[in-house]
Each structure stands twice: as C-alpha cells, then as structure tokens.
C-alpha cells in the first residue's frame, strides 16, 4: 500500500449509528489507515456538551482532527483520505465514470441522508408529527432516492456500484441500506443495491465498520 | 483558456430558481463553456411530465445530457466540468485546502439545501404544517448551516471562501444566500458570507447566472 501521508495524530469523532461516520469508517478500513476514534452519543445529546462544542463548534459527526487541521463533512473527509492515501482509489480514473460514482454518492448524501437525520426527526416531533408519520417520512425519501440510484445502477458494471472494486458510491450506499432496514423501507425492488450490500459484506473493511461492531454500540 | 473537452452536444436542464442549477450555471460561466440550456418549470410540475421523465427518470434538475452520457447531481456535474475543463480550477491544489473547500460546499449541499427543497416543503404542507412554520423551517436550517460555514470562513483567506478566486464553495454559498433572502433569513451575523456574495457580484460569471436573469424567470 502506498502511504503518502501519516495521520498519527489524527482522531475521528463518530457515533456508531451515524451513517455519515459509517462511510468514513469504511474508507479508513479500505485504505488501511488506523486513527484514534472517539465517540459522541448523539441520541444522548453529547454533541451539545461544551466539551465537544469546544472541539467542533458545529457539533456534528463525523469530525476529523489532526493537529491544528480539522474537517467536518463525511465526503470531504473521505476525499481528503483518498487524495492523501491514493491506494486503493475510491474513484475511477475516467472523468465520466468518476462523475457517475459521484452522482450516486450525492444521491445518498444530498437527497436521502439529510432528510432522515436525528435533528430533522426531532424537529418533526416538535411540529407535532407523530411516530408513524415520521417513519413514513424517512421511508419515503429512502425509497424515492433508491429508485434514482437503482436506475443508474442498471447502466453500470457490477458487482459494486461501479465495477469490481468499492468506490465512494458504495461507501454511501451500504450505510444507507443499513438505515433503510431500520426504517423498514422496502428493499425488494432494488436488486442491484442489495447485490452491492451482499458484495460489501464479503469484505472485512465493510464488516468491521458496521454500527453494531463499534465500541459505542448499544 | 485550456479546453480539454468539447461539450458541443451538451444540454443542461435547469430551472431559474433551483439553487443547484444556479451552481452549475456559475461553473459554466467561469469556465467559459457554452451549452444549450433547457428549462423545466418545477413549480408547475414539469419535472413530472412524461416528456421530461423520459429524459431524466428521476425528474430532478440540474441534469446534464451529452450524447449518450447523462448526469444528475449539481456537484457531480461541476466536478465533471472541473476535470474536463481545468481552467480556472474550482478547487485549490493543496489537499487540506481542497478538503476545506469541499467541507463548505457540502455544508450547503448536504446540510442546508436538501431541507428547503420544493418537494420537502410540499410534503410538509401535506403533513399539515402551515406556511409560517414552513418558512421558519427553511430559515432555521439556513441560519444553522451558515453558522458552521461562517465559523470555518473565520479561518480561511478571503475575499472568496478560500482565497482570491471563486471555488466550489462559493458556487454553493452564493445561490444559498439568494435562497436565504427569499426565506427572510437573518444574514447580519454572517459577515464573511455577505462579503463573498458582494465579491461574487463583481464577476459577470455570477451575475449572469442569477435566477432573475434566466430566460425562464418569472
């Protein structure tokens, strides 16, 4: 493995159930990069504690800290890792192939994931939306987003989202499938998405990143 | 200007008020890339017409079509343009600087923009959330997101989001400021964000991309 940067002093702040943190864990595992991991219990509100706000004023996870350099946003962290540890690459070389991988990653990160976030579900609760409607809300955006991704996947080589190696797209899709199961979304129509998950689960990098295997898992 | 690819056959499907399409228009203008533009009236539901679904089954804008290659997701389109037309670059060279630019772009594209989308506001209406609460909803996520971005901007060189040339971050921030004004968000606390907008408005590439200047503007 080509190592072009050391992250000896790096710390990743995460939460077992955060699917954005889950993406970064997979990237670290695929790259063979070991960093210290700390856990911020989102459901218990630890992101609002002064001690964490001092580290990350926005209170979000995942959050990367490396000396005086820090970074929020899972995709920014992953692309930074990909540029500083190019092997194995998380994006294909061809510009059109890269674009399609990014399209699928953003379809998860911009069109699905933000809508099912804990802060959104909390806000819906405050607005008087009951648990059944909140579950329907999450399910709806997942299923709608998966329709677009599955349509794209019908044009790409498998068994991963783009060819025989995992890319940024798989790093976003697999954690979103985990969330889809939590919200009881119907995965039956999404054959290629299910195939990606099955393929990913053959790799230690994905298995070790699963929420249930994290030290802070309940 | 270095031209490494021609997009003679390319068509951009957009909507004057879509802030994601607005990002792509700025990128095209900065790169000096001229493509055919078609307009899909989202508020009139043209994205659901069979004719458009045949082109883009997901019904989203912006949508890029170039022969048999097509692409959804504004950031994927912009990064594709940046890779095929490298000048002027929309990302700095240094990996940490690139990461910070991406962090700010994603702070808009993942944490703010998806929550104020037309489809979300429609869904909230169906759930019985009234106009006042819907406006509060949009405003809240914009202001909360801008707090995180402004904090980051306190550490970066100006007058743009990262230095003296516009980057991917500015392409996301400026259209989001336009939306912030529509939703009456309080911009007073966000000095650097307002400075970016003022700086951007000195450039034809940003001015020509404004919603009000598009042929489909109302």
């Amino acid at each position: 493995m080509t190592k072009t940067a050391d992250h000896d002093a790096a710390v990743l702040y995460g939460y077992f159930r955060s699917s954005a943190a889950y993406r970064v864990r997979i990237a670290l595992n695929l790259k063979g990069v070991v960093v210290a991991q700390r856990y911020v219990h989102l459901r218990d509100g630890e992101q609002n504690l002064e001690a964490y706000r001092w580290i990350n004023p926005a209170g979000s996870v995942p959050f990367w800290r490396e000396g005086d350099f820090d970074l929020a946003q899972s995709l920014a962290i992953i692309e930074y890792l990909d540029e500083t540890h190019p092997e194995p690459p998380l994006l294909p070389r061809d510009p059109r192939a890269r674009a399609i991988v990014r399209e699928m990653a953003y379809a998860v990160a911009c069109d699905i994931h933000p809508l099912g976030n804990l802060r959104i579900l909390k806000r819906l609760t405050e607005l008087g939306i009951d648990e059944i409607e909140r579950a329907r809300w999450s399910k709806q955006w997942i299923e709608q987003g998966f329709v677009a991704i599955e349509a794209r996947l019908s044009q790409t080589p498998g068994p991963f989202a783009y060819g025989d190696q995992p890319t940024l797209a798989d790093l976003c899709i697999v954690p979103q499938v985990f969330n889809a199961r939590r919200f009881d979304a119907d995965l039956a129509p999404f054959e290629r998405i299910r195939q990606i998950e099955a393929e990913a689960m053959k790799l230690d990098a994905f298995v070790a990143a699963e929420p249930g295997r994290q030290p802070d898992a309940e």
Side-chain angles (χ1 to χ4, degrees), chain A residues 8 28 77 181:
Chain A
D8 289 342
L28 287 169
I77 298 170
R181 292 196 201 284

Side-chain angles (χ1 to χ4, degrees), chain A residues 18 29-30 38 85 88 99 101 106 139 147-149 159 161 164 184 186:
Chain A
S18 154
N29 294 346
L30 285 169
R38 307 254 169 85
H85 294 262
V101 165
Y106 297 142
K139 223 170 98 81
V147 167
I149 295 169
D164 59 5
D184 230 5
D186 181 13

Side-chain angles (χ1 to χ4, degrees), chain A residues 7 9-13 52-60 62-74 76-78 80:
Chain A
H7 300 295
V11 180
L12 176 70
Y13 293 85
Y52 187 60
R53 292 283 171 158
W54 189 80
I55 293 166
N56 175 13
S60 58
F63 190 70
W64 179 268
R65 213 181 177 204
E66 192 179 354
D68 61 358
F69 172 67
D70 59 44
L71 192 60
Q73 298 292 338
S74 61
I77 298 170
I78 292 169
Y80 170 68

Side-chain angles (χ1 to χ4, degrees), chain A residues 68-174:
Chain A
D68 61 358
F69 172 67
D70 59 44
L71 192 60
Q73 298 292 338
S74 61
L75 295 184
I77 298 170
I78 292 169
E79 297 207 47
Y80 170 68
L81 281 169
D82 200 37
E83 292 181 356
T84 52
H85 294 262
E87 297 296 329
L90 296 177
L91 287 166
R93 284 195 169 202
D94 173 70
R96 289 185 172 187
R98 293 165 77 82
I100 287 169
V101 165
R102 286 199 168 109
E103 180 200 85
M104 292 187 276
Y106 297 142
V108 173
C110 304
D111 286 353
I112 304 178
H113 176 251
L115 303 168
N117 246 340
L118 200 55
R119 62 176 188 150
I120 303 303
L121 299 177
K122 275 191 177 159
R123 187 76 188 96
L124 290 173
T125 309
E126 287 166 14
L127 288 168
I129 309 298
D130 67 21
E131 201 179 336
I132 291 173
E133 279 296 348
R134 289 200 305 275
R136 200 171 289 165
W137 166 281
S138 301
K139 223 170 98 81
Q140 172 187 8
W141 305 123
I142 294 170
E143 291 175 2
Q144 195 170 308
F146 276 6
V147 167
I149 295 169
E150 186 76 16
R152 173 58 80 189
L153 287 167
S154 72
Q155 306 164 338
T156 63
F160 282 102
Y162 203 103
D164 59 5
Q165 297 297 323
T167 63
L168 188 61
D170 305 282
L171 269 59
C172 292
I173 291 170
V174 171

